[in-house]
Amino acid sequence: MCIRDRSFTMAEAPKKRSTFRKYTYRGVDLENLVNMPMPELIELVHARARRRFKHGLPRKYWSLLKRLRTAKNACDLAAGEKPVCIKTHLRNMIILPEMIGSVVGVYNGKTFNQVEIKADMVGHYLAEFSMSYKPVKHGTAGIGATKSSRFVPLK
């Protein structure tokens, strides 16, 4: 069998359709995760989040969840419409499954960065998706960095 024959048989084979990966969070699929009661969800998240939920969330976090719920209910998700952006300073809010699909404006100290919450973000903090600093760009020497730069006039 020559190489030409082998490629011909591969072309005849029916193309396999690509299937989307079903999202799971620690072994629980997305549909069950959204409908899961809070005590069961607390058992799934990491230790720091578990401790935080056990000690109780203050009122400001519950009010953020309430505002996100109302924004989500006000828009038509079936038509592909995104909910209104809800601005917040609560960078240390842990992303819960009921927040999936919402748009949050997370304050970084200067501006509100819009973050669309996806299923992969569950269990993370809002701050992880809104950088509060500008990364350093290394490679160029400034004034006083080397001995030769002492003699460079400033003007």
Side-chain angles (χ1 to χ4, degrees):
M1 184 169 174
C2 82
I3 297 171
R4 193 179 306 160
D5 294 338
R6 200 176 311 149
S7 63
F8 181 70
T9 57
M10 292 179 97
E12 286 180 5
K15 287 194 173 186
K16 189 177 179 183
R17 293 186 69 191
S18 62
T19 57
F20 291 105
R21 181 178 64 91
K22 193 170 183 91
Y23 178 76
T24 59
Y25 178 74
R26 302 200 178 196
V28 180
D29 61 336
L30 187 60
E31 292 81 27
N32 294 338
L33 195 65
V34 172
N35 299 327
M36 187 177 284
M38 196 66 161
E40 289 180 28
L41 178 67
I42 290 172
E43 295 303 316
L44 286 179
V45 294
H46 53 93
R48 169 54 54 186
R50 228 180 2 253
R51 184 180 199 284
R52 179 122 173 256
F53 289 129
K54 189 180 84 171
H55 287 256
L57 287 175
R59 177 179 284 154
K60 55 188 176 180
Y61 297 96
W62 291 112
S63 66
L64 173 64
L65 281 173
K66 186 178 175 184
R67 290 179 64 204
L68 288 171
R69 261 187 237 121
T70 56
K72 207 189 233 184
N73 291 337
C75 76
D76 185 21
L77 291 174
E81 189 178 321
K82 289 184 182 177
V84 178
C85 180
I86 304 296
K87 292 181 178 181
T88 183
H89 282 245
L90 301 174
R91 294 173 56 81
N92 59 350
M93 175 69 180
I94 297 166
I95 296 174
L96 300 172
E98 69 176 290
M99 297 167 69
I100 294 172
S102 301
V103 179
V104 183
V106 184
Y107 193 65
N108 68 355
K110 186 177 181 182
T111 59
F112 289 93
N113 294 335
Q114 282 197 3
V115 177
E116 185 181 352
I117 297 177
K118 295 181 173 47
D120 297 334
M121 299 179 181
V122 173
H124 291 270
Y125 291 94
L126 283 176
E128 295 179 45
F129 306 102
S130 176
M131 293 278 287
S132 60
Y133 63 92
K134 187 176 180 182
V136 178
K137 292 184 179 78
H138 296 283
T140 56
I143 297 172
T146 60
K147 297 252 185 208
S148 63
S149 65
R150 283 189 203 164
F151 305 105
V152 176
L154 294 175
K155 288 187 178 180

